[in-house]
Structures are given as structure tokens and as C-alpha cells.
Amino acid sequence: MLRIGMGYDVHKLVEDRKLILGGVEIEHTLGLLGHSDADVLVHAIMDALLGAIAGGDIGKHFPDTDPQYKGISSIKLLEHVKGILDREGAVVHNIDATIIAQKPKMAPHIMAMRENIAAALNIEVNQINVKATTEEGLGFTGTQQGISSQAIVLLDKK
């Protein structure tokens, strides 16, 4: 049975944190604040995948009150979600995701992001699309207070 899932995540930009998106460390003066590495792209994808199997969300599986997830790579968490998908008999068809950020430019990093996500899910790079947009200086992303991401997935579940 084909199933669709949608995910959304947002984190605040702060000083003295690394900016990690799609498992790629991006040179920037600010980074995302969160319990894990705060990778909003991977978080949105995980929520979309879990949503497609009616499996809750990342807060259910990786609570920010659990010290074992402090500073953890979101790619590692995505690998765990892959295990959940496997147990549920779910096969990913494709993922389409958008990063919403005023700065920095994402284009130079998108292929590496796609490769990291594909490796974590054991799927082909051509099954993943990542794009980025600004909000023309509007809203919290436009004023560089934070970065958000949205993702939608299609999978087949037995």
C-alpha cells in the first residue's frame, strides 16, 4: 500500500554551534540550537518517514530529555528510523525536501546532503531531492533567526 508522509522542523540559529544540514557541516557564523546536532533537514525527513507508517514523530522515538541523544548526529538517528521502516515492511520510493534559510547558500552542499541521506536509508541518490529557498528577508528565516525544513515522502508499506 502506498503511503505519504509529511515532515516539518525548525531550529533557532545561535552562536557557538555548528551548522549541520543533511549531515553536512556548513561553514557559517551561526549554527542550529538543539539537543542533537539540530539538523532540521534530516529531522523533517525522519518525521515524514515516521508519519507515513503512522509511527509517531522524532520526539516519541528520540526525546530531548534523554541524555543518550545529546549532541548525536541526526544521520545516526535516520539510520535508526531506517530500522523501524524495515521492521514495518516499508520501502521508500522517494523523498522531496526543502530547506528554508536566508543564508548561507545551500547549493554547493546539496549533493553531499543527498548522498548522506541515501546512505543512511540504503536507497539511491536519485530517490532524494533536496532544494533550498529563502523567504526574501521575511519571517524568522528571512531575518536569520532560524532555519526550517519541510519534507514529503512516498513509501510502500506491506
Side-chain angles (χ1 to χ4, degrees), residues 40-60:
V40 293
L41 174 60
V42 174
H43 291 186
I45 290 169
M46 288 189 294
D47 269 347
L49 292 165
L50 291 167
I53 62 167
D57 61 18
I58 59 174
K60 172 184 172 184

Side-chain angles (χ1 to χ4, degrees), residues 17 20 34-39 42-43 46 62-64 66-80:
R17 286 278 297 197
I20 299 172
H35 187 67
S36 66
D37 63 7
D39 186 331
V42 174
H43 291 186
M46 288 189 294
F62 316 111
D64 63 7
D66 190 330
Q68 74 176 315
Y69 302 122
K70 179 128 179 86
I72 195 169
S73 163
S74 294
I75 291 291
K76 293 284 185 208
L77 299 177
L78 183 59
E79 291 169 353
H80 181 78

Side-chain angles (χ1 to χ4, degrees), residues 98-151:
T98 304
I99 302 165
I100 301 108
Q102 195 65 35
K103 289 183 182 175
K105 292 289 185 192
M106 299 296 158
H109 310 287
I110 285 177
M111 182 52 77
M113 293 175 191
R114 292 174 63 206
E115 290 169 350
N116 289 342
I117 295 161
L121 292 172
N122 196 27
I123 60 176
E124 299 297 319
V125 173
N126 67 9
Q127 292 175 266
I128 302 163
N129 187 54
V130 174
K131 52 199 177 294
T133 190
T134 70
E135 289 191 309
E136 303 295 327
L138 300 173
F140 72 89
T141 59
T143 58
Q144 298 181 62
Q145 294 175 33
I147 293 177
S148 66
S149 185
Q150 300 175 4

